[in-house]
Amino acid sequence: MAPSNGWIDIHGHFTPPISDSEREARWHAMRDAAFLVPEPFQWSPESTIEYLDLAGIAMQFLSNIPKSLDALKSSNDYAAYLVSKYPSRFGLLAALPTDDPQACLKEIERAGTELKADGFAVTAMYNEVRLGDARLDPVWAELNERNAAVFIHPDAYAPPSMGRPSPLIEVAFETTRIVVDMLYAGTFRKFPNINFIVAHCGGALPVLSGRLELLGAEPWVPNANKITKDEIREQLGKLYLDTAATAPTGLAPALHMVAPDHIVYGADCGVPCSTSATMEENRMKVLGYEGLEKRQREAIGRNVLKLFPQAAARLEK
């Protein structure tokens, strides 16, 4: 049974079962990319639930987005199995292969019918295709029709920059570039029924949101879709932002861009760049953030649940 008053974690990763040799190979590849994890990373549902119990988290949404279609579908299958085994502890954000719109549409249908997914997860830049690419409009149209919740996560395994691994700061800038591109592509205007949740408090986007509002509709900025100043403010304000690895400095700019009820809890669990210690330090800083009232801070842990009625129903059982 899940903790009775626990939080909901939108930002949980997982790894499908792999061999020891593959785990070792992935470890060496990370170290070659300046991602200096001390030993091969191992994920299990049991150790994750142990952490969730320690942190008082009722449910964690799982996402994993491999870069090949077969691996992505297999990963979605495994996550669906985990949700069926632990229905009150895990939710499924089905990964979408956004480099292939037709494959995306098929996986959306499969996720809704076979896998019973709660929502969807996408990578900001997936196999060199950005989320604002016009070829994805049929995908967004289908998700818009479904009033879907879509979690946007950057590519944490992109090449290092200046000798430092992507998860340190590059993920924040990739997120920012891609969400701004979606804004100018008209994605948020055309598909207003999608609830987009952006990882890591939106990266650098909240800090730059005032600059975008001030300058983004000026005549010297290429703007084929004629996005207005008001639209920039309103559409950015509709996004949901998770707290993963960003408190407390990420919360102040986030709250200039979105309302408190659009801040949702994310732990960034299940990846080599997070430990129980760093996740707990971040969670404590969220709980102690003085820019919000106590009731608003406590609500961060449940704000996301309104986007996932199917998962909310499982929690009630």
Side-chain angles (χ1 to χ4, degrees), residues 16-317:
I18 57 175
S19 67
D20 289 343
S21 61
E22 185 174 356
R23 185 176 297 109
E24 185 89 8
R26 290 184 182 187
W27 177 51
H28 286 296
M30 282 190 283
R31 292 185 66 85
D32 289 344
F35 195 166
L36 302 180
V37 290
E39 59 187 8
F41 181 73
Q42 187 159 355
W43 184 90
S44 74
E46 294 81 12
S47 62
T48 300
I49 290 172
E50 183 178 345
Y51 169 71
L52 299 182
D53 288 342
L54 173 70
I57 296 169
M59 177 181 283
Q60 180 181 93
F61 284 89
L62 298 173
S63 59
N64 178 53
I65 314 176
K67 292 186 178 181
S68 76
L69 181 58
D70 287 346
L72 180 146
K73 293 172 69 175
S74 178
S75 177
N76 283 342
D77 290 341
Y78 179 64
Y81 158 75
L82 290 175
V83 174
S84 71
K85 185 175 182 180
Y86 306 102
S88 66
R89 304 314 305 272
F90 291 129
L92 169 57
L93 300 177
L96 296 179
T98 49
D99 60 343
D100 184 338
Q102 288 306 309
C104 262
L105 290 169
K106 290 179 181 178
E107 195 64 4
I108 290 169
E109 178 63 24
R110 193 176 80 92
T113 56
E114 296 179 29
L115 305 182
K116 309 300 182 187
D118 297 295
F120 300 89
V122 294
T123 300
M125 178 74 81
Y126 184 74
N127 292 335
E128 305 303 317
V129 177
R130 62 187 189 275
L131 295 179
D133 192 305
R135 291 172 294 177
L136 287 172
D137 275 7
V139 173
W140 300 131
E142 177 63 26
L143 293 170
N144 190 69
E145 184 69 21
R146 293 170 180 257
N147 297 299
V150 177
F151 180 59
I152 298 176
H153 194 282
D155 182 2
Y157 295 97
S161 176
M162 300 182 186
R164 283 169 286 279
S166 182
L168 185 61
I169 61 171
E170 292 307 311
V171 289
F173 297 113
E174 177 181 297
T175 298
T176 305
R177 285 191 293 270
I178 295 303
V179 175
V180 170
D181 187 58
M182 294 172 77
L183 174 72
Y184 281 102
T187 305
F188 305 133
R189 174 199 280 170
K190 289 182 284 189
F191 310 109
N193 296 334
I194 301 174
N195 290 300
F196 287 103
I197 306 158
V198 188
H200 313 121
C201 247
L205 182 63
V207 174
L208 294 172
S209 61
R211 181 179 179 85
L212 280 166
E213 184 181 344
L214 178 68
L215 301 176
E218 289 295 292
W220 51 268
V221 178
N223 187 0
N225 288 302
K226 301 190 185 318
I227 303 298
T228 68
K229 184 173 184 176
D230 286 344
E231 282 183 298
I232 291 172
R233 181 182 66 255
E234 291 164 6
Q235 290 171 12
L236 294 182
K238 284 183 64 179
L239 299 173
Y240 288 81
L241 308 179
D242 88 19
T243 62
T246 53
T249 56
L251 287 173
L255 288 163
H256 280 281
M257 190 176 96
V258 304
D261 65 350
H262 278 229
I263 303 293
V264 301
Y265 179 65
D268 212 352
C269 189
V271 284
C273 55
S274 295
T275 66
S276 294
T278 60
M279 290 187 291
E280 279 302 280
E281 181 177 345
N282 191 67
R283 190 172 68 88
M284 290 298 102
K285 287 177 178 176
V286 171
L287 281 169
Y289 179 64
E290 295 181 352
L292 290 171
E293 298 175 10
K294 183 182 179 190
R295 63 176 179 80
Q296 293 173 315
R297 296 194 299 269
E298 291 174 348
I300 287 172
R302 304 285 289 189
N303 282 337
V304 82
L305 203 54
K306 62 181 177 283
L307 305 182
F308 298 100
Q310 182 175 276
R314 293 201 304 275
L315 277 173
E316 293 299 318
K317 291 182 179 180

